[in-house]
């Protein structure tokens, strides 16, 4: 079950005129926390090849598997739609404010089974039922990004990719995150396990390797504090 995470862009706007200088302190803006009855209001989703009515995969709001009081979004790939070459490919996208120079997108994810590959442009290892804090630091003028992960074997925020190339070369503003899962086909199976996401934030002003949350004395990254590299 390959999960492909990428940043994609809409049409360039008149706002993309100059680079935004790096901030001297945290400047997080909440994009989506998936809470309550409005948790999917800003989420666009699709279930390929067509909307599923039989419970075969899809996008839904569910309780956090580690905290029943928290609500998260689940991307469930389902199973093969037929015995031919077709595959299930549910996806969702979430818009965020334009990043025109350097900026950071933060989110949490946890995979709910081992038959799942997380494709970030890196071969980083992840384990089941473990929440990971992730930071994508986008550099629009150079068409590159850095990836930081905290969780599992990564006890502190760890840079696992430096200067990775965008999938598509473009200096348009980046303003949408896209997640897609695929089963593969019955003749080329990939996987079946779902993954959950929570708390998408963006800082359009520069690199920000902090956790946008209430300060936790046991976690120096929380509360929006930014440690030195």
């Amino acid at each position: 079950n390959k999960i492909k995470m990428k940043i994609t862009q809409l049409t360039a706007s008149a706002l993309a005129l100059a680079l935004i200088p790096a901030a001297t302190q945290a400047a997080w803006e909440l994009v989506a926390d998936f809470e309550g009855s409005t948790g999917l209001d800003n989420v666009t989703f699709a279930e390929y090849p067509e909307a599923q009515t039989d419970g075969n995969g899809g996008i839904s709001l569910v309780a956090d598997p580690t905290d029943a009081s928290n609500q998260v979004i689940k991307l469930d790939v389902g199973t093969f739609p037929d015995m031919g070459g077709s595959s299930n490919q549910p996806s969702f996208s979430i818009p965020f404010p334009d990043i025109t120079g350097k900026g950071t997108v933060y989110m949490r994810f946890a995979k709910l089974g081992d038959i799942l590959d997380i494709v970030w442009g890196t071969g980083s290892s992840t384990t089941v039922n473990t929440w990971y804090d992730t930071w994508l630091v986008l550099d629009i003028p150079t068409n590159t990004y850095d990836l930081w992960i905290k969780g599992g074997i990564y006890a502190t925020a760890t840079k696992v990719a430096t200067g990775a190339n965008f999938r598509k070369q473009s200096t348009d503003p980046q303003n949408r995150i896209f997640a897609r899962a695929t089963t593969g086909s019955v003749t080329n199976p990939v996987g079946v396990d779902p993954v959950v996401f929570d708390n998408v934030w963006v800082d359009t002003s520069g690199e920000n390797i902090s956790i946008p949350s209430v300060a936790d004395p046991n976690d120096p990254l929380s509360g929006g504090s930014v440690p030195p590299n």
Side-chain angles (χ1 to χ4, degrees):
N1 185 23
K2 290 185 179 293
I3 301 295
K4 294 187 177 181
M5 295 295 303
K6 68 178 181 179
I7 302 296
T8 186
Q9 66 279 333
L10 301 180
T11 304
S13 72
L15 296 176
L17 299 177
L19 300 184
I20 299 173
T24 57
Q25 59 183 7
W28 288 117
E29 181 176 345
L30 179 64
V31 175
D33 62 7
F34 311 113
E35 295 296 335
S37 60
T38 60
L40 290 177
D41 278 6
N42 292 325
V43 180
T44 299
F45 56 90
E47 298 165 20
Y48 180 85
E50 60 187 17
Q52 300 293 315
T53 58
D54 58 1
N56 184 20
I59 313 299
S60 61
L61 293 178
V62 299
D64 181 340
T66 64
D67 177 4
S69 67
N70 182 43
Q71 192 164 264
V72 298
I73 187 171
K74 182 171 76 170
L75 178 54
D76 184 356
V77 70
T79 58
F80 311 119
D82 57 49
M83 297 305 291
S86 299
S87 63
N88 242 18
Q89 296 184 39
S91 66
F92 69 82
S93 65
I94 306 171
F96 56 79
D98 285 358
I99 296 176
T100 60
K102 179 178 273 191
T104 306
V105 179
Y106 166 90
M107 75 181 71
R108 301 169 69 227
F109 79 87
K111 63 181 187 179
L112 305 186
D114 264 329
I115 309 178
L116 176 74
D117 293 327
I118 303 293
V119 181
W120 294 98
T122 175
S124 302
S125 174
T126 54
T127 56
V128 174
N129 293 324
T130 300
W131 278 106
Y132 290 86
D133 299 290
T134 59
W135 298 264
L136 285 162
V137 181
L138 310 179
D139 192 328
I140 310 309
T142 65
N143 272 227
T144 61
Y145 68 92
D146 298 339
L147 173 64
W148 295 71
I149 295 179
K150 179 177 182 291
I153 64 173
Y154 307 104
T156 61
T158 303
K159 186 186 285 188
V160 296
T162 301
N165 292 323
F166 285 0
R167 195 172 190 180
K168 293 184 178 180
Q169 298 296 297
S170 172
T171 55
D172 288 349
Q174 301 296 298
N175 51 25
R176 186 172 294 270
I177 193 159
F178 174 79
R180 184 184 68 187
T182 180
T183 56
S185 68
V186 70
T187 56
N188 184 28
V190 177
V192 297
D193 290 322
V195 62
V196 289
F197 299 88
D198 198 15
N199 297 347
V200 181
W201 296 72
V202 64
D203 182 346
T204 61
S205 63
E207 179 177 295
N208 186 346
I209 310 305
S210 68
I211 297 173
S213 64
V214 176
D216 177 352
N218 296 315
D219 190 341
L221 293 179
S222 70
S225 60
V226 183
N229 286 336

